[in-house]
Amino acid sequence: MSTPYPFTAIVGQDDLRLGLLLNAVSPAVGGVLVRGEKGTAKSTAVRALAALMPEVPVVPGCRFSCDPASPDPACTDGPHAEAAGVSRPARTVELPVGASEDRLVGALDIERALSEGVKAFEPGLLADAHRGILYVDEVNLLHDHLVDLLLDAAAMGASYVEREGVSVRHAARFLLVGTMNPEEGELRPQLLDRFGLTVEVSASRDTDERVEVVRRRLAYDDDPEGFAARWAEEEGALRERIAAARVLLPRVVLSDGVLRQIAATCAAFEVDGMRADIVMARTATALAAWAGREEVTADDVRQAALLALPHRRRRNPFDAPGLDEDKLDQTLDEAGPPENSDGDDQPDPDGGGDDGGGGGGGGGVPPQADGEDRTQPQGSEGDSPSPAPEGAPDTPGRPAGGEQQPVASAEPFRTKMLSVPGLGEGAAGRRSRARTEHGRTTGARRPQGALTKLHLAATVQAAAPHQRARGRAGRGLVVRRDDLRQATREGREGNLVLFVVDASGSMAARQRMSAVKGAVLSLLLDAYQRRDKVGLVTFRGKEAEVALPPTSSVDAAAARLESLPTGGRTPLAAGLLKAHDVLRVERLRDPSRRPLLVVVTDGRATGGPEPVALAGRAGRLHRSEGTASVVVDCESGYVRLGLAGELARELGGTAVTLDELRADSIAGLVKDVTAAGRAA
């Protein structure tokens, strides 16, 4: 087993270390979500935490790590007779993003069932993680079916397995730790709320600190054992401090005044439910114990709010995490701080006298890398220069060519579901029907390659007629390779949703761009919830451009949309051809992910000879390749030309108006996009 990097050797990242240490002191805090850019020691810190955790007493031979002092009466390996327990190190169990459902919760031991004819349960990762740490790297990329199982276990403290004739329940209480890079997409709100704390990490911009990081890392890579030995004393001291804080924790007093501050803070920031109040109380108590105090202070409450609330106050994935610290201080003052809150005794993850919050307040908004002041909203109309009169010369500070500054988007709304017809085989998601590894079982087939999902009934049915010929004598079933059957399942897939947005003057002149941006933002929110990849192509002036190549970071698309300027001519054909180029490359890169083309336009086309006919030919090009498409018709006014509907027919797709796009409109419940093959 490789030597882990010492926790105390990590340079900086005070918020990260404090969040992990508070969970080591009080696992009831509920785990921690670590958000940050790649290469910021997220995984290193989590793996190093296990070495600091106290040893766990377990019943000898129990696969579910029952506590000998209070064994689980329903344990599958029980009942346990009274006996002395044995101690083992706390486990850190890693859940791979691509793990199967069987690997997570456990399943019937197929080998023993077929060979010996007995039901035997094979525990999964949830059983291994009981009374330890369950670590999910890139937790935002975890498949939805695994997220559902994690939510159930985290809510009930137990895992229930009902499958293939097996009915098992076992305890599953673990410290849930997840790391993620927000650029790759956000978490489902239900799972996000299950993390007690959240911390934001970023690479230091201090030269000396970066030099020290590299120096220590190179020393560790050259001699891991020797490097760990040099930090053994610091590791031991930190381990002892965690143990002392755990002993002190039950004696920490949480006064009524502190509880009032916690409740007032959660109410002021309008967090949903009561979990935030409970987590804040537990975190503040752990902070006091970590500092060696028996009473919670107002500073503990403030620090707890900065760690426990940022991820709970977000209303959609495009909201920046963090808290308004001025509002937080005002709320704490108004709620009446306890008299003993002097702020002199701050927790320090390294055991020294510095503030464990790391200067940023712990869990607050991370400082911008470039020092840019981003307090002013971007893309608002109030601070935009007025557009130049037509024909006016270009001047510094004024957009060229009649271009107008970005306008703010209208409020997003819940949209109808746009789906790709047919049955796909793409990445797991929530949009279109697909054959997937997870979902409802629809049948069985012979396996093609390695067997991944056994259809037990079909396998037994295939093997049963041959038992006499195979000389079966015992209880077990004689099974050959040809008898095995693969379960076929149907679920939902995520698609590539490519937006082609008209940003020309015809859109801006009618003051529709705000509504258009609101509609696209609504579709982006829908794509986020359905686990799609998204891309953004815009066209205006003389050409089209790829504003955002296909990515899983939906919030990046929203940011590009907000800063989108408008004005100029309407090169509709150029936008469609640019989209064709993007889809062609993506088909080579990810052939299993089916595309959905969403064209947002009023259908007008200008520039060059026969611009409307050219746009029609570009639309037929998409249709010939079977690309599912929908045109969001942005035309308004009493006189309508119907050009968007004509474009939809050329694409072989469907046209919807902005009003029809709303889920609560009376124009139908779901708009299925018509593929070219069906339209022909």
Side-chain angles (χ1 to χ4, degrees):
M1 183 177 180
S2 61
T3 303
Y5 192 92
F7 191 89
T8 50
I10 296 172
V11 179
Q13 305 299 7
D14 297 322
D15 290 349
L16 168 59
R17 290 183 290 147
L18 180 61
L20 292 172
L21 289 170
L22 291 177
N23 277 275
V25 171
S26 175
V29 166
V32 59
L33 174 65
V34 186
R35 297 165 44 94
E37 60 197 35
K38 51 188 175 294
T40 49
K42 300 189 298 294
S43 300
T44 299
V46 174
R47 294 188 177 105
L49 178 67
L52 302 175
M53 300 286 284
E55 289 194 337
V56 179
V58 297
V59 173
C62 178
R63 297 174 297 167
F64 302 93
S65 302
C66 279
D67 187 345
S70 56
D72 184 358
C75 178
T76 304
D77 287 355
H80 299 298
E82 293 185 8
V86 296
S87 294
R88 62 161 175 79
R91 291 173 179 162
T92 296
V93 177
E94 295 196 30
L95 172 60
V97 170
S100 66
E101 185 175 329
D102 293 348
R103 186 73 187 96
L104 179 62
V105 301
L108 178 68
D109 189 331
I110 298 297
E111 182 178 350
R112 292 190 63 191
L114 296 180
S115 62
E116 302 175 23
V118 298
K119 288 183 180 179
F121 179 69
E122 186 175 1
L125 295 176
L126 290 180
D128 293 341
H130 179 48
R131 304 177 67 199
I133 301 172
L134 182 62
Y135 171 46
V136 190
D137 193 14
E138 305 294 352
V139 63
N140 51 323
L141 304 182
L142 199 64
H143 290 170
D144 280 349
H145 70 285
L146 298 181
V147 171
D148 294 337
L149 295 170
L150 271 184
L151 288 172
D152 289 341
M156 297 183 291
S159 175
Y160 292 84
V161 184
E162 301 280 350
R163 55 191 309 169
E164 297 161 346
V166 174
S167 180
V168 174
R169 174 253 177 221
H170 65 82
R173 292 182 294 275
F174 46 81
L175 176 60
L176 181 61
V177 180
T179 56
M180 60 174 285
N181 184 349
E183 294 178 357
E184 297 171 338
E186 287 290 346
L187 275 177
R188 279 173 54 183
Q190 296 91 335
L191 182 57
L192 188 65
D193 190 50
R194 282 294 170 186
F195 286 98
L197 311 179
T198 184
V199 294
E200 298 277 335
V201 296
S202 59
S204 173
R205 299 303 186 252
D206 180 81
T207 302
D208 293 337
E209 196 166 286
R210 294 175 74 98
V211 167
E212 187 60 24
V213 169
V214 175
R215 181 181 291 119
R216 293 186 186 183
R217 185 69 209 192
L218 293 177
Y220 170 77
D221 291 340
D222 289 341
D223 182 12
E225 291 80 8
F227 184 82
R230 291 195 293 274
W231 289 89
E233 185 177 346
E234 288 83 352
E235 290 282 288
L238 190 56
R239 192 178 297 109
E240 290 176 3
R241 185 176 177 188
I242 292 173
R246 281 193 167 198
V247 172
L248 179 62
L249 186 66
R251 303 201 302 269
V252 175
V253 176
L254 194 68
S255 67
D256 288 343
V258 168
L259 284 174
R260 180 169 294 278
Q261 283 187 311
I262 291 172
T265 301
C266 292
F269 285 99
E270 300 180 349
V271 296
D272 296 331
M274 295 297 297
R275 183 172 289 119
D277 303 63
I278 297 170
V279 171
M280 270 191 67
R282 289 172 173 166
T283 304
T285 303
L287 281 162
W290 178 246
R293 287 183 272 102
E294 294 189 5
E295 188 166 354
V296 177
T297 68
D299 293 313
D300 295 329
V301 176
R302 186 181 192 278
Q303 184 75 31
L306 291 168
L307 290 168
L309 297 189
H311 60 302
R312 290 187 166 88
R313 59 168 296 276
R314 303 178 73 193
R315 290 296 179 261
N316 66 63
F318 309 138
D319 290 340
L323 293 181
D324 182 339
E325 297 195 32
D326 291 337
K327 180 179 178 181
L328 174 60
D329 292 334
Q330 180 181 353
T331 302
L332 292 174
D333 289 341
E334 291 175 353
E339 294 180 0
N340 65 338
S341 168
D342 54 11
D344 294 334
D345 204 353
Q346 290 290 326
D348 172 33
D350 286 328
D354 295 335
D355 180 15
V365 180
Q368 300 296 336
D370 53 6
E372 178 184 350
D373 181 7
R374 307 196 183 192
T375 56
Q376 292 291 341
Q378 296 183 6
S380 61
E381 295 183 74
D383 57 354
S384 301
S386 58
E390 187 174 353
D394 297 339
T395 57
R398 185 182 295 277
E403 178 184 297
Q404 300 180 20
Q405 287 292 329
V407 298
S409 64
E411 280 296 313
F413 51 85
R414 191 166 65 90
T415 67
K416 289 186 174 67
M417 188 178 78
L418 306 174
S419 61
V420 178
L423 200 62
E425 295 183 356
R430 299 176 133 197
R431 185 173 295 278
S432 306
R433 293 175 54 226
R435 286 181 288 269
T436 62
E437 287 293 315
H438 313 282
R440 64 184 182 90
T441 301
T442 57
R445 60 175 173 82
R446 292 181 183 272
Q448 299 171 350
L451 179 70
T452 56
K453 292 290 182 181
L454 180 74
H455 194 296
L456 184 59
T459 298
V460 172
Q461 187 177 10
H466 309 291
Q467 296 306 294
R468 180 175 297 179
R470 293 173 182 174
R472 173 185 171 185
R475 296 177 58 192
L477 195 66
V478 181
V479 179
R480 302 281 188 260
R481 170 71 184 175
D482 290 343
D483 300 328
L484 299 179
R485 294 294 182 268
Q486 173 87 21
T488 57
R489 301 187 176 188
E490 182 178 315
R492 292 280 173 176
E493 68 176 359
N495 298 108
L496 165 60
V497 182
L498 182 62
F499 293 93
V500 181
V501 179
D502 184 350
S504 65
S506 67
M507 303 286 282
R510 293 166 179 80
Q511 297 182 353
R512 285 176 289 157
M513 204 59 200
S514 177
V516 168
K517 284 187 175 183
V520 178
L521 186 63
S522 303
L523 290 168
L524 284 171
L525 279 167
D526 183 66
Y528 157 74
Q529 294 166 349
R530 301 189 188 281
R531 288 293 190 260
D532 295 316
K533 288 180 70 174
V534 297
L536 179 62
V537 173
T538 63
F539 59 93
R540 62 186 177 86
K542 297 181 179 179
E543 59 185 14
E545 65 174 347
V546 180
L548 183 71
T551 176
S552 297
S553 180
V554 178
D555 54 345
R560 301 291 173 89
L561 179 71
E562 285 292 341
S563 61
L564 179 67
T566 59
R569 295 183 176 181
T570 314
L572 176 57
L576 295 174
L577 292 174
K578 181 67 73 173
H580 179 267
D581 291 341
V582 172
L583 294 180
R584 176 177 55 81
V585 173
E586 285 301 307
R587 284 190 180 98
L588 296 174
R589 180 178 299 160
D590 191 359
S592 63
R593 190 181 289 268
R594 297 188 294 166
L596 173 61
L597 183 68
V598 179
V599 185
V600 184
T601 181
D602 56 9
R604 289 176 170 81
T606 59
E610 300 183 347
V612 176
L614 187 60
R617 288 198 294 273
R620 290 193 293 274
L621 179 61
H622 284 280
R623 180 176 182 174
S624 67
E625 296 185 353
T627 303
S629 60
V630 60
V631 177
V632 180
D633 184 359
C634 302
E635 191 173 30
S636 61
Y638 293 106
V639 179
R640 295 174 179 263
L641 302 178
L643 295 175
E646 193 65 39
L647 176 62
R649 285 188 286 274
E650 297 286 10
L651 286 165
T654 304
V656 296
T657 64
L658 289 174
D659 290 337
E660 291 172 341
L661 192 62
R662 294 178 177 271
D664 54 359
S665 74
I666 61 174
L669 296 179
V670 176
K671 282 282 187 181
D672 285 321
V673 181
T674 305
R678 294 192 175 187

